[in-house]
Amino acid sequence: MLDSAGHAPVPPEVRSAFLAALDEGWADPRRLHTEGRRARALLDGAREAIAGLVGARTEEVALAPSHTAALHSAVRTVAQGRRRVGAGIVTSAVERMALLDAADFAGERHTVPVDRDGRLDVEAFRAAVAAPGVALAAVQHANGEVGTLQPVAEAHAAAREAGVPLLVDAGSSFGHAPIGPDWDLLTLDPADVGALPGVAVLVTRTAVRRSPVGPVEDGERWFPGGVSVPTALAAAVALQLAARRTPDPSLVSTVRQRVAAEVPMTMVAGPAEPADRLPHVLTFSCLYVDGEAVVTALDREGFAVASGSACTSATGQPSHVLAAMGALTQGNVRLTLPPDTAPDDIERFCDVLPGAIARIRQDAGI
């Protein structure tokens, strides 16, 4: 299994926490009876634990039904709350499509370019946020497709100087790289580190102005209906486990080196230096090869990988991330390694890959 982006294997501790919470937190946490209060205590405990992991107050943590919902809510509610400032929303060119789509829906998107490694152009970003009428800026902490760590501290300083709140998407990086305090709104995707799907995190500093964009239900301003208490508790445990891990960048480094050396007509995307990228993410692109064909061929060999953009693969569209970097978009393969990936599996993957690519090219008459 070399494709864990947004759906990582569930650790035993997370499964145990979920099952225990099914017994203790099954009730509606909005009820006033004993069972309801017990469920509310578990839900509040999950939020408190998450707040402690990111250096926030418990009341600043909101639980969303999905990471996409968290990003949509952050963009739309800040755009609504700061509408008197203007409708401008500044983003990098390599943000998730969920965020780019939300920015297009909620305001006027201004896109900042990236370099060939996918790194934000800080000077262009500084100029963009300083322009009149900017309500929000968004920069991912790291790219979940090519692994590039973004200059979030510099972006936050520029946004703060301009008086613009900065939304940082850490859905692909929490548990893999230190997040830091340089954000005004922060999203996390617990499923990316082994939580059950159904809960994501949106943290908002108290000073950020937001306004609901829909009806408010039972005090839930941002995500009416709430979330499952057992799933929320499991999400908190998954994030706690991820925060204690020591990532190993050597496996991705091995793949980078061997792909570049052993697979002809192939481009490895993203920074070469481990310090500049996530330790578990890698994308490479192969000329004269269809990405889906590579996925199918490797699946027959027992390897689960992905192709296309992390957020557009289901549509079959080329990766907007690779396109923004000026990189090859044809025949791309994306790896996101789970924590328990064995070195032997990586070596076998690298042994199998050149032959698989060669056979696909041969079948295509290349």
Side-chain angles (χ1 to χ4, degrees), residues 133-161:
V134 175
L136 175 68
V139 175
Q140 60 194 194
H141 183 261
N143 187 268
E145 187 171 340
V146 299
T148 305
L149 289 164
Q150 296 293 357
V152 172
E154 293 93 326
H156 189 236
R160 176 173 289 180
E161 184 177 350

Side-chain angles (χ1 to χ4, degrees), residues 69-316:
L71 290 170
H72 284 185
S73 176
V75 172
R76 295 180 65 189
T77 59
V78 172
Q80 176 72 7
R82 288 173 50 83
R83 62 191 181 279
R84 293 184 179 179
V85 174
I89 300 174
V90 175
T91 78
S92 83
V94 293
E95 301 297 315
R96 296 176 195 263
M97 286 305 302
L99 189 143
L100 298 179
D101 289 343
D104 289 336
F105 181 87
E108 300 171 4
R109 173 158 61 100
H110 305 279
T111 306
V112 178
V114 296
D115 64 17
R116 292 193 67 84
D117 281 338
R119 184 178 170 88
L120 178 75
D121 183 331
V122 175
E123 292 308 313
F125 178 84
R126 181 175 287 109
V129 295
V134 175
L136 175 68
V139 175
Q140 60 194 194
H141 183 261
N143 187 268
E145 187 171 340
V146 299
T148 305
L149 289 164
Q150 296 293 357
V152 172
E154 293 93 326
H156 189 236
R160 176 173 289 180
E161 184 177 350
V164 175
L166 179 68
L167 165 62
V168 173
D169 173 9
S172 296
S173 52
F174 185 90
H176 306 288
I179 300 302
D182 301 302
W183 50 269
D184 299 302
L185 301 101
L186 179 73
T187 62
L188 307 177
D189 185 5
D192 189 72
V193 292
L196 287 78
V199 170
V201 177
L202 172 58
V203 191
T204 309
R205 299 292 191 196
T206 304
V208 177
R209 184 178 180 84
R210 297 171 64 196
S211 296
V213 292
V216 176
E217 178 184 312
D218 291 333
E220 293 285 350
R221 301 183 68 197
W222 313 123
F223 304 104
V227 297
S228 157
V229 173
T231 307
L233 191 65
V237 171
L239 292 170
Q240 288 175 321
L241 290 174
R244 296 199 292 265
R245 292 177 190 148
T246 302
D248 178 9
S250 66
L251 299 181
V252 161
S253 295
T254 295
V255 180
R256 290 183 66 91
Q257 294 163 6
R258 291 195 58 181
V259 167
E262 300 174 23
V263 185
M265 296 180 288
T266 297
M267 175 185 293
V268 181
E273 293 298 321
D276 297 330
R277 53 179 165 81
L278 292 174
H280 70 302
V281 173
L282 171 68
T283 288
F284 57 89
S285 301
C286 308
L287 271 174
Y288 311 121
V289 169
D290 178 73
E292 291 186 7
V294 182
V295 170
T296 301
L298 292 173
D299 189 47
R300 294 194 195 103
E301 299 287 346
F303 295 104
V305 300
S307 180
S309 172
C311 44
T312 62
S313 56
T315 67

